[in-house]
Amino acid sequence: MSTIDIPADSEFGLDNLPYGVFSTADSDPRVGVRFGDNVIDLVATLNDPIFATGSLNPFMAQGLNRWIEVRTAIVDAITSGSPIVTHPIDSVTMHMPFDVADYVDFYASEHHASNLGRLFRPDAEPLLPNWKHLPVAYHGRSGTVVVSGTDIARPNGQRKAPSESSPTFGPSTRLDIEAEMGFVVGVPSDVPISPDRFAEHVFGAVIVNDWSARDIQAWEYVPLGPNLGKSFATSISPWVVPLLALESARTSTPVQDPEPLDYLRESQSWALDIDLTVTWNGHEVSRPPYKEMYWSPAQMLAHETVNGATSRTGDLFASGTISGPEKHQRGAFIELTWGGKEPVTLGDETRTFLEDGDEVVIAASAPGPNGSSIGFGDVRGKITS
């Protein structure tokens, strides 16, 4: 048992307190909270068996009042000098923080959607007619969402280049990333969730890397959208930053014109000021700004449920690639290299798409109260053959 002293400028201070699932050499997976470079064992510190389940789902399902109660208890334990059971961050193994129920990935960046429109439809309008009227999305595969640090096997599938008369089968040669933010549903619902009820249902946020096989995707996506080009792997960060820690990061979306339909209107925006950093083999290549996203996460969830689709504890929905107006703010390599025509320099090497052995790390942080910073940690993955 110990008390904890951390640097005043830590991204994992009292204003943050993200949740994750960890294990030690002599313990099963259990829920903890990161404070500085330590993990607070909530089972031992709060004497609450709900945190011994190896998943955040039972706790998340208890709802907003319970989330506030536990957060207050953790802060009180830290600040009162009460005995706290901790483990150094480098002595634990991190696991999937929650059981993923469903996974939906949106396409909410106007800059990303416009860039891909220019790449794929150079003689047409970059945005399709529906894009500014609703948050476009596809339904992904929850079973292949993995925690940061999991190796990513290069996927196989059909590919057909424009110059080829018929498709071939084999490993993707245009393997890509998508730097995104994801949001985790805590409280389920069998009725639509309006934007203003967002914080009653969504527990927190994670960093997402939606790995994408662009050659497989390009051949298969017409007319029903992504399938094998996306379903092989999606990585998330191990720490779930609670919405309760992100109040100071709230901002406004870009001007939405035309005005959204009634069910998508927010009385107070849940757009968030989060800065991401993408590192490729140790070299920083991009800084995507989440505050540039056209659709807010509250609008995404409202659209996802407006047709009567139920939501469940552990549902994950992601933003889609985060890109800004500048080249160094593009959150996917297909944009950053402009379809492979403009290679990126990584030290003594160049890249267009991912090669075996490449590692990508995406980190994120947001402003907190009184000038503090809220860290999300990072999500990393290495490509294997």
Side-chain angles (χ1 to χ4, degrees), residues 12 37 53 79 82 88-89 108 122 155 175 193 204 211 214-216 238 240 247 275 288 293 304 334 336 342 362:
F12 297 97
D37 289 330
T53 60
T79 57
S82 301
I89 193 73
L175 189 55
I193 300 172
W211 305 92
R214 300 299 185 186
D215 43 358
I216 297 172
V240 183
E247 281 290 337
D275 290 325
M293 301 299 275
E304 182 180 323
I334 193 170
L336 196 63
E342 301 173 8
I362 306 171

Side-chain angles (χ1 to χ4, degrees), residues 154 281 351 354-360 381-385:
R154 184 176 297 275
N281 291 349
R351 290 285 191 278
L354 290 161
E355 298 184 10
D356 291 351
D358 284 358
E359 182 179 52
V360 176
K382 180 176 288 188
I383 305 303
T384 63
S385 58

Side-chain angles (χ1 to χ4, degrees), residues 261-276:
L261 296 177
D262 286 348
Y263 78 93
L264 291 170
R265 293 178 191 170
E266 300 175 275
S267 61
Q268 293 185 325
S269 176
W270 263 105
L272 293 166
D273 181 7
I274 303 173
D275 290 325
L276 288 80

Side-chain angles (χ1 to χ4, degrees), residues 39 55 84 87 127 136 156 202 204 206 213 223 240 245 307-308 333 351 384:
V39 180
S55 171
I84 300 172
H87 305 274
L127 296 178
V136 174
N156 291 294
V202 171
V206 294
V240 183
N307 68 342
F333 297 156
R351 290 285 191 278
T384 63

